[in-house]
Amino acid sequence: METVQSIKETRELIKSWRRNGYTIGLVPTMGFLHEGHKSLIKKASAENDKVVVSIFVNPIQFGPNEDLTSYPRDLEKDKITCDNAGADLIFNPQVSEMYSDNAVTSVTVDEITEGLCGAKRPIHFRGVCTVVSKLFNIVTPDRAYFGEKDSQQLAVIKRMVSDLNFDIDIVGCPIIREEDGLAKSSRNIYLSDEERKAATVLNKSLNSAKDALQNGERYASKLAHVISEKIDNEPLAKIDYIEIVDSVDLKPVCEITSSILVAIAIYIGKTRLIDNFTWNFK
Ligand code: PAF
């Protein structure tokens, strides 16, 4: 497995793979890889001849008061994870390689970026869509793999790929959880022991909502109440949002008559964590 920093070298390698007729899977990441990322790389490796993992903490998707400078990094450990999971190449560019000082082009997806995380992080999805488009143009993968934990990101990228005619299959992969149900996230490292225990409230509150749906609840406001009640009982947790939306266009629903995404964002101390589930209406 190789690690390269330049776009030119990456393109040369990709061209040589293409000459051999290999299919290519891309796993875009910001590094500090955990079991969730590992599952994406393994899936990519099972479905493609060659796998590229990009490791790039993308500055333009972080707002001014967000954690760009403190975002955890550990390239040496990431290399071992990638190698073990079956990656063939790590693309690990510097910021200057990805963004020239005079760049004026970005990719904006409207509407489905307006609610949920997009409402709280106004520049976030423009940054994500811009970097992902650039990665798609550099790596030209057949398939690209994204985790379902970032449910809005996955929906936005699917929409972008469809609207801009990228010839790439977007593969969503299930959330990987700790034993106590907390979704794996690079940001879990920010939690103190006490906060780590409190963070289990995300999954517990979603499980309560699943139970309510199972028992026939069909009003989104009541479902949101079930979740908020649980979270309000956890002193270290503060709700950022609880949204019940259509699973495809991410528009809020009142009465549940189609498949929905139940998505939450919560602050545990200063750390913002997200979680979700999709409920298929039958
Ligand atoms: O999900 C992430 O880690 C990032 O948003 C992504 C897709 C790698 C773009 O920087």
Side-chain angles (χ1 to χ4, degrees):
M1 190 195 68
E2 277 188 69
T3 301
V4 303
Q5 294 202 312
S6 86
I7 294 171
K8 189 167 176 284
E9 260 183 283
T10 304
R11 286 200 158 130
E12 275 160 14
L13 210 56
I14 300 282
K15 268 189 206 151
S16 73
W17 289 346
R18 289 294 186 203
R19 273 195 296 273
N20 285 309
Y22 293 146
T23 57
I24 299 169
L26 170 66
V27 183
T29 82
M30 297 207 298
F32 209 69
L33 306 178
H34 50 69
E35 289 297 319
H37 297 109
K38 209 170 167 180
S39 73
L40 305 186
I41 302 168
K42 280 188 171 164
K43 190 162 170 62
S45 167
E47 295 179 351
N48 302 273
D49 299 317
K50 297 285 178 190
V51 175
V52 181
V53 179
S54 62
I55 296 183
F56 178 63
V57 182
N58 175 34
I60 68 164
Q61 71 185 68
F62 289 79
N65 299 318
E66 294 182 356
D67 56 344
L68 172 62
T69 48
S70 59
Y71 196 84
R73 292 159 166 89
D74 190 343
L75 184 60
E76 290 316 307
K77 190 163 167 271
D78 288 348
K79 283 183 185 172
I80 297 168
T81 305
C82 287
D83 205 8
N84 289 341
D88 298 281
L89 172 69
I90 294 178
F91 175 51
N92 175 225
Q94 296 293 311
V95 173
S96 56
E97 180 72 357
M98 288 299 276
Y99 298 113
S100 61
D101 288 340
N102 59 359
V104 289
T105 307
S106 60
V107 179
T108 310
V109 176
D110 295 328
E111 293 185 15
I112 61 169
T113 56
E114 282 164 15
L116 298 105
C117 287
K120 304 288 174 171
R121 307 181 71 191
I123 60 142
H124 177 67
F125 286 113
R126 188 181 57 200
V128 169
C129 290
T130 303
V131 79
V132 170
S133 298
K134 286 167 76 78
L135 291 168
F136 285 175
N137 283 331
I138 295 162
V139 178
T140 61
D142 299 279
R143 298 177 194 85
Y145 297 78
F146 295 87
E148 287 171 357
K149 184 171 82 67
D150 295 299
S151 51
Q152 187 175 19
Q153 171 170 282
L154 179 58
V156 168
I157 287 167
K158 279 186 178 161
R159 190 61 196 267
M160 176 186 84
V161 162
S162 161
D163 287 354
L164 296 184
N165 307 96
F166 280 105
D167 191 13
I168 299 170
D169 282 346
I170 301 302
V171 185
C173 302
I175 299 175
I176 304 294
R177 296 182 181 278
E178 304 285 355
E179 262 179 32
D180 62 7
L182 178 66
K184 301 250 183 191
S185 163
S186 305
R187 289 188 167 103
N188 292 350
I189 187 108
Y190 298 145
L191 301 169
S192 68
D193 288 350
E194 202 190 350
E195 288 172 342
R196 172 65 189 76
K197 278 186 203 132
T200 56
V201 76
L202 276 100
N203 187 234
K204 283 181 189 152
S205 69
L206 291 179
N207 284 341
S208 304
K210 276 185 204 164
D211 289 344
L213 281 162
Q214 214 75 28
N215 292 330
E217 183 55 68
R218 292 293 176 268
Y219 286 98
S221 58
K222 291 203 177 144
L223 218 51
H225 182 71
V226 168
I227 298 172
S228 66
E229 229 182 358
K230 201 98 191 170
I231 297 166
D232 288 342
N233 276 332
E234 171 46 68
L236 296 182
K238 195 173 134 261
I239 297 169
D240 191 29
Y241 68 72
I242 298 169
E243 294 284 352
I244 291 125
V245 296
D246 179 88
S247 62
V248 178
D249 64 18
L250 306 191
K251 292 210 168 101
V253 298
C254 292
E255 199 177 342
I256 298 159
T257 55
S258 62
S259 293
I260 52 163
L261 170 74
V262 179
I264 61 176
I266 290 173
Y267 282 96
I268 302 286
K270 287 198 170 113
T271 307
R272 184 175 179 277
L273 299 174
I274 56 173
D275 203 345
N276 71 80
F277 71 90
T278 299
W279 191 76
N280 293 315
F281 189 83
K282 286 168 209 125

